Amino acid sequence: MAKMDKKWIVLCTTAIGVMYSAGYLTTETQATLQKPQQQIQANNQSVSKQIKSQYKNGTFDGSGSNRRGSIGVKVSITNDKITDVEISHFAMHYSKNDVVGLPQEVIQKQSAQVQNVSGATYSTQAFQDAIEDALMQARNV
């Protein structure tokens, strides 16, 4: 075998060292990036176990009233979601037809904060109060 020039030996050794270092840094960087992601996932799982449901499952009655009358509702909740709203009692000065769409709006918004029905402001407010009353009863304390 022919004798190699020292420059080639140094050059080849340096090239091998650079390739090794690049591989090491790449692997180390990937490992470093994966650790926080794994820690975040583990933390999310432990936090989700610690978070208590906001509402109990079941159907809860609520009522709201003002100087124009009263409204009663039944609100069904499953896994912290409002699944059904029914007007169970309506004794307002105005027609029930004015607020007939509000139960569906509560389900869509998952909130008692519905849009005011023009011409039925008192009915809308009594309905919102009834929903809030039912949700207060459903709360996990």
Side-chain angles (χ1 to χ4, degrees):
M1 190 166 177
K3 207 172 186 186
M4 290 184 80
D5 190 17
K6 286 187 177 186
K7 290 180 186 178
W8 281 107
I9 293 173
V10 170
L11 182 64
C12 290
T13 304
T14 304
I16 291 170
V18 168
M19 288 190 305
Y20 176 82
S21 297
Y24 177 79
L25 289 175
T26 303
T27 304
E28 188 67 23
T29 302
Q30 288 175 350
T32 303
L33 291 174
Q34 288 176 353
K35 282 182 183 177
Q37 188 69 1
Q38 291 168 349
Q39 289 173 342
I40 289 170
Q41 289 172 348
N43 288 343
N44 286 345
Q45 288 174 352
S46 66
V47 167
S48 66
K49 288 178 185 177
Q50 293 173 358
I51 294 176
K52 195 174 181 182
S53 295
Q54 184 176 2
Y55 298 112
K56 297 178 251 182
N57 290 338
T59 301
F60 303 89
D61 294 320
S63 61
S65 62
N66 54 44
R67 65 186 182 134
R68 299 288 187 195
S70 63
I71 293 180
V73 296
K74 291 186 179 295
V75 177
S76 297
I77 299 175
T78 305
N79 298 327
D80 277 346
K81 294 208 183 279
I82 300 171
T83 56
D84 190 38
V85 176
E86 174 187 326
I87 298 175
S88 57
H89 167 74
F90 189 87
M92 295 297 293
H93 178 73
Y94 302 103
S95 170
K96 183 178 181 178
N97 291 336
D98 293 335
V99 295
V100 76
L102 294 181
Q104 189 60 37
E105 190 176 341
V106 169
I107 295 169
Q108 288 174 342
K109 290 184 173 182
Q110 292 294 301
S111 168
Q113 301 307 313
V114 294
Q115 286 189 346
N116 190 41
V117 176
S118 180
T121 302
Y122 287 104
S123 297
T124 303
Q125 186 58 52
F127 177 82
Q128 283 180 321
D129 292 345
I131 296 296
E132 288 172 359
D133 181 38
L135 292 177
M136 285 301 292
Q137 293 177 41
R139 281 203 185 278
N140 268 330
V141 184

